[in-house]
Amino acid sequence: MLRIKHIAAGVLAAISSIAVAASDVYQFTDADRDFIARFSLSALPELPAAPSNKYADNEEAAELGRMLFFDRSLSGNGQVSCAQCHNPQLYFTDGLPQSQAIGTTRRSAPSIPGAIYGPWQFWDGRTDSLWAQALSPMEDQNEHGLDRTSAAKAMATDYREEYVKLFGDANDLDAVSGLTLPASPKVAGDAEKNWSQLSAAQQEAVNRVFANMGKAIMAYERKLKLPPARFDQFIDLLEKKAGEDKLKTVMSADEIQGMRLFMGKANCASCHNGPLFTNFEFHNIGAPEPDVKQVDLGRFQGVNDLTKNEFTCLSPVSDAELEQCEEMAFLKKQGPELVGAFKTPSLRNVAATAPYMQAGQFATLQDVVQHYNKPKPPYYDREQHPSRPHFDIIPLGLTEEELAQLVAFLGSLTSPLPKDDKWWQDPYLEANGDSSGLASTTK
Amino acid sequence: MKHIAQVFLLLTLMPGVATAEDPAQAPAPETEISNLSMQVASRLLTEAQELEQNSVNVLRNASHIRKQVNEMRVVERSLKDKKQKDSFGQSIDMLNSQLELWQKQGADLRESSSKLKNYALALIEEGFIRQWSDWVKLTGPMRLQTSHNQMLAHNTQIRSVHPSMLNRMTATPETVKPDSMSLEIPAMTGQQAPADLDIRTFQASRDLNFFAHIEPLTEGSPEPLTPLNEIHKWNFLLSDMNGEPITDAKIEFSGHMPGHVHGLPTQPRITAESAPGVYKVDGVKFQMAGWWVIQFDVTAQGKSDTIVFNLVL
C-alpha cells in the first residue's frame, strides 16, 4: 500500500514537472511578475527607524563606526576586529561553522547586510538593536576578549577627537580615562569584582561611552548596501518585458525551475520571503543539535536574555522614549514555539556564505536542501528542554533533480562584491596604501 | 433602517417575544431607540439560545432512537421464525420513520435558532453603532493595509508538528496555482476560513453577558485599516447586552491562527480604559495574512465570559 502511494506520488510529481515544460520556463504572467517583484532588492523599504540610536543615520558616526569595525586593537590580544568574523570579502561572515577569535564561539557568524532590517539580532534575537548586538562580542572572552572599561578607555584614547565631535561630551571620557583596572559586570572573576567597586557615576560613564561605541558601529553597518544579484537583474528584465533570449543571459532554465520550486512546491518562500528572503521570525526546523550535552534553546533563551539585557531600547543609554520601545514592551515571553527556534536567516549571498545553520551543522547547500526534503524532528531531552520543541517543517518530496535546481536558484542570489563601495573596505588598508580593495583578515 | 424593518417582521413572527416595548409606539430620542432595540434584540438572542438548546435535545433524542434501531436490527437478524421476523421488522421501520422526523425537527430548530441569532446580532450591532457613534469608526470587517513594500509574511505552510503526528511527517506541502499565474505559491492549507465564517467586528460574548466591538486605531479611508508586520493599537469597546458601558473590566487578550499552532508574534495587552467601556489594546502585530481568531476573556460585574472575533486579513 505504501509502495503504491509512493509510486502514485512519483507519477504526480512527474506530471507536475511536465506542467512547466522546458520551453515554458521563461514564460511569466503579469501576476507572476508582481509576485516575484516583491523579492527584488529594489522593493526593499527604507531602513527601519532606530529610535534607540539617534546617531543611526549620522554620517560621522558611520565613519567612526567603520574605523571601530576594522580596529584590531579593540581586543584582548590586539588581533581581533569585528571584521575577523564578519569579513566583507565573505559578505561579512567567516566561512566557519563556529567562529574563531580569541576562542571558539558557540554559533556561526551571520552576514550583516541582510540583518539590518530585522527587529532582533543574533540567531536567538537576544538583543533588540544592532548597537547592542555590536557590544556583546566585545565582552565575550571567546571573541574580542575585552572588558567594558577597557573598551571605553580605548574610545577615550584612540578616538577621543571623533568621540567629542560626535557625542559632544568629554566628561565621560575623562571619567573613563581615570579608571585603571579592567572592569565589567559580564566578565567573571576580577573584572566583575572591580566593576562592583566602581561608583554608580563611574559605571554610568563607562556604559555611556561603551554604548556610543555600539551606536557608531550600527551607523556604519546601516551603510552596507547589497548590489543587485543576478536574480534582481532578472526581475528588472521581467518588468521590462524582455524576451527569452535576454532572460537566458541572466538566469539558466535550471535556476528558474529552482525559483519556481522555491516559491511553490519547496515551500521556501513561506518564511524566506521579501527582498531579503526572511520574515525575521523564529522557527525550529530541526537542524541537528550541535551539542546534545548542552542543547541550544534558541529563542527561548534569547527572550530570557533580552529581559535581563542591560542594553536594549528600554535602557538608560537608549535614545528612545519608553513608548517607542514597542517590541520590548510587548515581547512574547511564552509559548512552546520559542524552544529551539532560531531566526530565519536572509538567503541573500547564501551560496557564498557556507556553512549553514546556527552552528554550521551543514557544510553545503546540498546538505541543507536534503534536510528540508527529509527532515528529522528536533532533538529532545526531557532534562534540558523546558518542553518538547515544536517542529515547523514537513517533508518536501522533491526529486534529486529538483533539489539540484533549488540549489542552482540560490546561487542567483549572490550579489557581486561592491569593489568601489568604501563601506565594504578596510580603512586601515586604505591608509597603508593597499590598493587591493577589499579587506583582508590576514593583514 | 433595514434592520429596524427586520425587527418588526420578527416581532410579528415571534409572538412569544412581542411583549417587548415597541420602538415605533413612543417616538423617543435616538439613543433611547437604540437602547430599546438592543433590549429587544438581546431577548431575541436569549430566545435563539433556548432554541439552540432545544435542537440539541431533539438531536440527542434522535441519536438515542438510532441506537435503538440498530440494536433492534441485530435482534431481528437472530430471529428464526419468518412471521415473527417480519412483524418485528415492521416495528423497526416505524421507529425508523420516527427517527427521520426527530432529525428533521432538530435540524429545523437549529436553523431557526441560527436565523434568529443572526437577526438579533444584526439588530444589536445597529443599536450599538448608534449608541457608540463617537467611537465606532469601523463598521465592516477588519481589512489589511496594502503596501507596495510589505514583506510577504506568508508562512502559510509552517505549522508546529509533534513528531508523534506521523501523518504530518508523510504529507508534503500544498501549493496553489492561481489562474493568472504560471507560478505555484504556498497554499493557505488548514487556514482556509469557511465561506460563512462570521467576521463581524461586533460580537456578543459566549454566555450573552457582554457585547463588544474591536477596531484598529489607524488611519484609513473610509475606514481604519490594519497594518501587517507593524505593532499597532486597537480600541475594544465593551458594553452589556443593552449597550451600556462595562467599566473596570479585567480583560485578557489572546490570538492564534487555526491550523497553525503559533500565536501572535507579540504579547498584546490592555493598557488603558480611555473612557467608560473603551479599552485600549496595545502591542497588536500580525506577521501574516490569513484567518486569525482573537479572544477576549472578560471579567466584570461578577461575571466571566469570552468574546471571540474571527478576522480574515
Side-chain angles (χ1 to χ4, degrees), chain B residues 165-180:
Chain B
M165 293 165 74
L166 286 176
N167 58 329
R168 293 272 182 258
M169 292 312 297
T170 52
T172 51
E174 284 174 37
T175 53
V176 289
K177 201 169 83 58
D179 288 344
S180 60

Side-chain angles (χ1 to χ4, degrees), chain A residues 29 32 270 327 332 390-391, chain B residues 155 160-161 180 182 264 285:
Chain A
T29 67
D32 289 337
S270 261
E327 290 285 359
K332 179 179 187 138
H390 272 63
F391 189 28
Chain B
N155 288 22
S160 295
V161 179
S180 60
S182 74
L264 290 160
K285 182 175 172 181

Side-chain angles (χ1 to χ4, degrees), chain A residues 29 31-32 35 38-39 43 260 263-264 267 270 273 279 327 329-330 332-334 388 390-392 394-395, chain B residues 149 152 155 157-162 169 173 175 180-184 186 264 266-267 269 282-283 285:
Chain A
T29 67
D32 289 337
F35 185 85
R38 290 189 264 176
F39 290 77
R260 290 179 180 275
M263 303 298 175
N267 213 28
S270 261
N273 54 46
N279 59 358
E327 290 285 359
F330 302 101
K332 179 179 187 138
K333 294 177 189 154
Q334 285 162 347
R388 183 184 282 277
H390 272 63
F391 189 28
D392 291 345
I394 51 177
Chain B
N149 289 331
L152 249 183
N155 288 22
Q157 203 68 44
I158 295 306
R159 64 184 69 201
S160 295
V161 179
H162 192 283
M169 292 312 297
T175 53
S180 60
M181 295 174 82
S182 74
L183 278 175
E184 282 181 60
L264 290 160
T266 54
Q267 241 167 49
R269 61 177 179 272
D282 203 349
K285 182 175 172 181

Side-chain angles (χ1 to χ4, degrees), chain B residues 183-195:
Chain B
L183 278 175
E184 282 181 60
I185 56 174
M188 306 278 277
T189 314
Q191 289 172 46
Q192 212 66 63

Side-chain angles (χ1 to χ4, degrees), chain A residues 247-297:
Chain A
L247 294 175
K248 275 183 176 161
T249 63
V250 184
M251 275 174 78
S252 73
D254 269 349
E255 287 171 336
I256 293 177
Q257 290 285 30
M259 179 193 71
R260 290 179 180 275
L261 290 166
F262 184 94
M263 303 298 175
K265 206 167 138 194
N267 213 28
C268 315
S270 261
C271 294
H272 293 285
N273 54 46
L276 293 173
F277 288 79
T278 169
N279 59 358
F280 298 113
E281 293 282 327
F282 299 88
H283 299 288
N284 189 336
I285 57 136
E289 188 65 48
D291 180 1
V292 292
K293 293 213 169 58
Q294 195 203 349
V295 298
D296 197 334
L297 296 178

Side-chain angles (χ1 to χ4, degrees), chain B:
Chain B
M1 262 335 271
K2 203 173 114 208
H3 295 306
I4 291 181
Q6 273 168 359
V7 78
F8 287 142
L9 183 71
L10 271 166
L11 291 176
T12 47
L13 285 177
M14 302 297 304
V17 289
T19 49
E21 298 92 325
D22 190 335
Q25 297 227 319
E30 185 81 336
T31 51
E32 221 164 297
I33 294 178
S34 57
N35 197 291
L36 281 181
S37 62
M38 282 187 81
Q39 281 177 24
V40 174
S42 65
R43 288 172 70 168
L44 289 183
L45 212 49
T46 314
E47 190 90 353
Q49 225 173 24
E50 281 167 21
L51 277 182
E52 169 74 26
Q53 190 52 49
N54 283 347
S55 80
V56 169
N57 292 341
V58 168
L59 289 171
R60 194 176 291 146
N61 257 348
S63 87
H64 184 68
I65 294 175
R66 191 188 316 115
K67 225 184 244 164
Q68 262 186 334
V69 167
N70 289 344
E71 281 167 14
M72 285 165 78
R73 292 266 186 236
V74 175
V75 176
E76 183 195 11
R77 273 195 290 279
S78 70
L79 289 177
K80 298 275 182 289
D81 182 78
K82 185 167 184 311
K83 217 169 148 193
Q84 210 180 2
K85 199 170 183 167
D86 284 350
S87 107
F88 197 67
Q90 277 170 7
S91 314
I92 299 175
D93 290 344
M94 242 162 77
L95 194 58
N96 209 20
S97 61
Q98 286 290 307
L99 169 64
E100 281 162 22
L101 285 177
W102 278 99
Q103 278 174 331
K104 188 171 180 320
Q105 200 192 348
D108 287 351
L109 276 172
R110 180 173 284 176
E111 204 191 320
S112 330
S113 135
S114 117
K115 244 185 215 160
L116 190 57
K117 186 181 162 199
N118 284 335
Y119 283 140
L121 283 177
L123 193 60
I124 295 183
E125 182 177 319
E126 176 103 6
F128 186 93
I129 290 170
R130 259 184 287 145
Q131 212 161 323
W132 292 75
S133 58
D134 290 350
W135 296 98
V136 176
K137 307 273 182 290
L138 173 73
T139 52
M142 278 212 197
R143 284 181 302 122
L144 269 190
Q145 282 171 4
T146 45
S147 144
H148 299 300
N149 289 331
Q150 89 191 10
M151 303 280 175
L152 249 183
H154 219 152
N155 288 22
T156 50
Q157 203 68 44
I158 295 306
R159 64 184 69 201
S160 295
V161 179
H162 192 283
S164 65
M165 293 165 74
L166 286 176
N167 58 329
R168 293 272 182 258
M169 292 312 297
T170 52
T172 51
E174 284 174 37
T175 53
V176 289
K177 201 169 83 58
D179 288 344
S180 60
M181 295 174 82
S182 74
L183 278 175
E184 282 181 60
I185 56 174
M188 306 278 277
T189 314
Q191 289 172 46
Q192 212 66 63
D196 59 348
L197 185 71
D198 179 0
I199 54 170
R200 279 181 291 195
T201 53
F202 298 85
Q203 293 293 342
S205 64
R206 202 164 282 162
D207 296 330
L208 305 184
N209 289 310
F210 309 117
F211 191 81
H213 166 64
I214 46 169
E215 61 179 51
L217 288 172
T218 49
E219 298 299 312
S221 180
E223 296 200 318
L225 295 168
T226 313
L228 190 65
N229 268 345
E230 211 175 278
I231 291 183
H232 62 287
K233 298 177 180 64
W234 283 3
N235 260 350
F236 174 68
L237 310 183
L238 182 66
S239 77
D240 63 14
M241 292 307 290
N242 299 325
E244 294 301 323
I246 298 277
T247 57
D248 296 324
K250 196 178 150 283
I251 302 164
E252 296 285 336
F253 176 103
S254 61
H256 74 280
M257 300 190 85
H260 190 297
V261 185
H262 294 180
L264 290 160
T266 54
Q267 241 167 49
R269 61 177 179 272
I270 309 293
T271 52
E273 186 179 354
S274 29
V278 180
Y279 297 86
K280 190 171 279 171
V281 188
D282 203 349
V284 187
K285 182 175 172 181
F286 297 106
Q287 76 271 46
M288 54 196 282
W291 176 16
W292 286 90
V293 178
I294 303 295
Q295 180 170 326
F296 290 86
D297 294 308
V298 177
T299 305
Q301 301 179 348
K303 293 172 209 152
S304 286
D305 208 344
T306 297
I307 307 162
V308 175
F309 297 91
N310 284 287
L311 317 178
V312 178
L313 298 177

